[in-house]
Amino acid sequence: MRSVLFHRLEDSDRELFLRWTLGQSASVWSRRFWTALTHVGGVTSSVALALIPLILAEGQLKVAAVQAAWALSISTLIVQVIKRNVVRERPNEANETIAHVGIPDRFSFPSGHSTSIMSVAFIHAATFHSLAVPMLLLAALVGFSRVRLGAHYPGDVLVGQLTAIVTGVAVREIGRAHV
């Protein structure tokens, strides 16, 4: 039973990947747009989004920045442990498709970019409700960009984002317990 379910999920993930990823004939503009968006979820951008408010802000923004830095650090560690244990092959290799962006490591599951940006976005969205929709939409689009560019399966993105949210909830709860 478990094996059948796993194979169905794997097949659905592959089908969605093949449907959503950019083809070789994608326009230069489309590739540039999705590439620029995907870099928002990279390590440099995510760390900057977490640390700049940590250094410059005060009050509630500083508290959110501390929580975002913790959520980012913990969720990144979790993702790296999962990646090295699951060792899922990148979709561009498994499906002989083109990745339109540099691949940061050999393993696909879960998506580190999706996890990073969602970690920061979730904390700020939960703290500043007026930012919730734009922050979470940005994080979702960065995740989708990883599929569009051929770097991840949709399931990689979903699990990365869920890892970030669960970590963010835990960090916020720990923060409340110490206030």
Side-chain angles (χ1 to χ4, degrees), residues 3-104:
S3 176
V4 172
L5 177 61
F6 177 76
H7 287 297
R8 282 187 182 168
L9 288 172
E10 184 79 21
D11 290 344
S12 295
D13 216 16
R14 184 173 288 108
E15 286 176 27
L16 286 173
F17 169 79
L18 292 171
R19 186 177 306 148
W20 291 346
T21 194
L22 293 174
Q24 289 180 327
S25 62
S27 72
V28 172
W29 181 89
S30 181
R31 286 195 308 267
R32 284 182 183 163
F33 170 78
W34 291 109
T35 299
L37 189 57
T38 210
H39 287 307
V40 174
V43 173
T44 303
S45 297
S46 297
V47 168
L49 288 170
L51 292 184
I52 289 172
L54 183 64
I55 295 166
L56 301 176
E58 294 182 12
Q60 193 62 22
L61 184 56
K62 184 142 189 137
V63 171
V66 168
Q67 291 177 345
W70 275 109
L72 176 61
S73 300
I74 294 166
S75 64
T76 298
L77 179 63
I78 291 168
V79 162
Q80 293 306 314
V81 168
I82 294 170
K83 277 185 182 245
R84 272 123 190 95
N85 284 286
V86 173
V87 296
R88 186 180 197 188
E89 188 176 31
R90 290 279 180 172
N92 62 301
E93 294 175 12
N95 298 291
E96 297 181 9
T97 57
I98 293 175
H100 297 282
V101 68
I103 303 295

Side-chain angles (χ1 to χ4, degrees), residues 9-21 88 91 95 108-111 114 143-144 146-148 151-162:
L9 288 172
E10 184 79 21
D11 290 344
S12 295
D13 216 16
R14 184 173 288 108
E15 286 176 27
L16 286 173
F17 169 79
L18 292 171
R19 186 177 306 148
W20 291 346
T21 194
R88 186 180 197 188
N95 298 291
S108 182
F109 181 85
S111 168
S114 301
F144 186 65
R146 302 303 289 163
V147 177
R148 288 293 283 166
H152 285 285
Y153 291 104
D156 302 339
V157 169
L158 181 62
V159 171
Q161 291 174 337
L162 289 174

Side-chain angles (χ1 to χ4, degrees), residues 60-61 64-65 67-68 117-139 165 168 172 176:
Q60 193 62 22
L61 184 56
Q67 291 177 345
I117 192 64
M118 184 59 82
S119 295
V120 176
F122 176 80
I123 294 294
H124 288 290
T127 305
F128 305 104
H129 300 282
S130 62
L131 296 177
V133 171
M135 293 295 289
L136 296 175
L137 181 60
L138 174 65
I165 291 168
R172 286 177 52 83
R176 281 195 194 110

